[in-house]
């Protein structure tokens, strides 16, 4: 399989056509919803359309604006962030968010196009045997590279890059926060494999199909199956991001 075939050319579907949107998302791993206003409320509406009664939890909407922004490399959204609100620990991000919706608020005048990779296809057809053995067989600290960030729990989040949920869904993680566990005797090998994983994925990015998002368009992604990123851009660009958990999450 060529590297271009690892990409997902997300189809455009009117958000009111709920059955078609759900079918396309299940089939491709990503879909672009059209016909909704460029408001924060529209993200919650889109989540309800796509997941219905399977919705378990929505996390706070994040707004991202950038001026002459650099590339965002392929990744799967996940983070482990707990904050204190009025004395009550409150989760703002979850390591097992299984869906992400990216709403275009203002497209860049040049560049900034999105791209999506089917990680299941990458694992099944592209990853070399040694890398695949690492991704499926070695525990890492998923967010250890970001240990100094406020709100990130001090306890390491130990997991493998590829795991399965209790319902049988495969999780394909991709984060630049992963590091070897403290005093892991294989730390040198793990660091080398993390570098190989990063380089292997980034080498594919130029060949992936690009996805144009107009104002109000929402790119919905199966966060267990796909990794996403965007090209560098000039000028101002703004998006809103909503991550969530469904009944099928870990």
């Amino acid at each position: 399989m060529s590297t271009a075939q690892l990409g997902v050319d997300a189809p455009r579907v009117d958000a009111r056509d709920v059955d078609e949107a759900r079918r396309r998302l299940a089939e491709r791993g990503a879909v672009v919803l059209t016909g909704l206003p460029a408001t924060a409320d529209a993200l919650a509406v889109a989540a309800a359309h796509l997941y219905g009664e399977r919705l378990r939890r929505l996390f706070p909407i994040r707004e991202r604006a950038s001026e002459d922004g650099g590339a965002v490399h392929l990744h799967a959204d996940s983070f482990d962030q707990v904050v204190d609100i009025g004395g009550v620990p409150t989760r703002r991000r979850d390591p097992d968010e299984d869906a992400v919706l990216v709403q275009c608020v203002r497209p860049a005048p040049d560049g900034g196009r999105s791209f999506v990779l089917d990680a299941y296809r990458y694992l099944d057809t592209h990853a070399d045997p040694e890398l695949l053995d690492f991704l499926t067989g070695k525990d890492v600290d998923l967010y250890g590279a970001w240990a100094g960030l406020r709100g990130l729990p001090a306890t390491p989040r130990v997991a493998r890059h590829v795991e399965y949920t209790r319902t049988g869904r495969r999780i394909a993680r991709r984060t630049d926060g992963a590091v070897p566990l403290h005093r892991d005797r294989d730390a040198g090998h793990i660091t080398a494999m993390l570098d190989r994983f990063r380089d292997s994925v980034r080498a594919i990015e130029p060949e992936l199909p690009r996805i144009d998002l107009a104002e109000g368009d929402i790119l919905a992604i199966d966060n267990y199956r796909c990794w996403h990123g965007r090209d560098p851009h000039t000028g101002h660009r703004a998006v809103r991001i909503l991550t969530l958990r469904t009944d099928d999450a870990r």
Side-chain angles (χ1 to χ4, degrees), residues 24-80:
R24 290 289 196 162
L25 179 60
E27 176 185 85
R28 302 283 188 90
V31 66
V32 176
L33 300 179
T34 65
L36 291 172
T39 63
D41 289 352
L43 277 171
V45 170
H49 281 181
L50 284 173
Y51 302 103
E53 64 181 13
R54 293 172 49 229
L55 275 176
R56 186 188 304 174
R57 185 169 185 180
L58 301 179
F59 295 98
I61 292 172
R62 314 189 304 273
E63 297 201 13
R64 295 279 179 84
S66 53
E67 193 78 31
D68 298 331
V72 175
H73 296 289
L74 285 167
H75 65 284
D77 276 54
S78 73
F79 203 51
D80 191 0

Side-chain angles (χ1 to χ4, degrees), residues 134-135 137-144 156-163 173 175 177-182 184 190-191 193-194:
F134 163 72
L135 296 174
K138 276 292 184 182
D139 285 334
V140 295
D141 179 357
L142 285 177
Y143 312 114
R157 181 76 179 198
V158 179
R160 297 174 184 182
H161 282 83
V162 180
E163 295 182 328
R173 297 186 174 97
T175 170
V179 296
L181 296 173
H182 180 59
D184 191 313
I190 291 171
T191 298
M193 296 307 295
L194 287 170

Side-chain angles (χ1 to χ4, degrees), residues 84-96:
D84 185 303
I85 300 179
V88 179
T90 303
R91 181 166 287 286
R92 291 184 61 85
R93 296 291 308 278
D94 193 287
D96 288 304

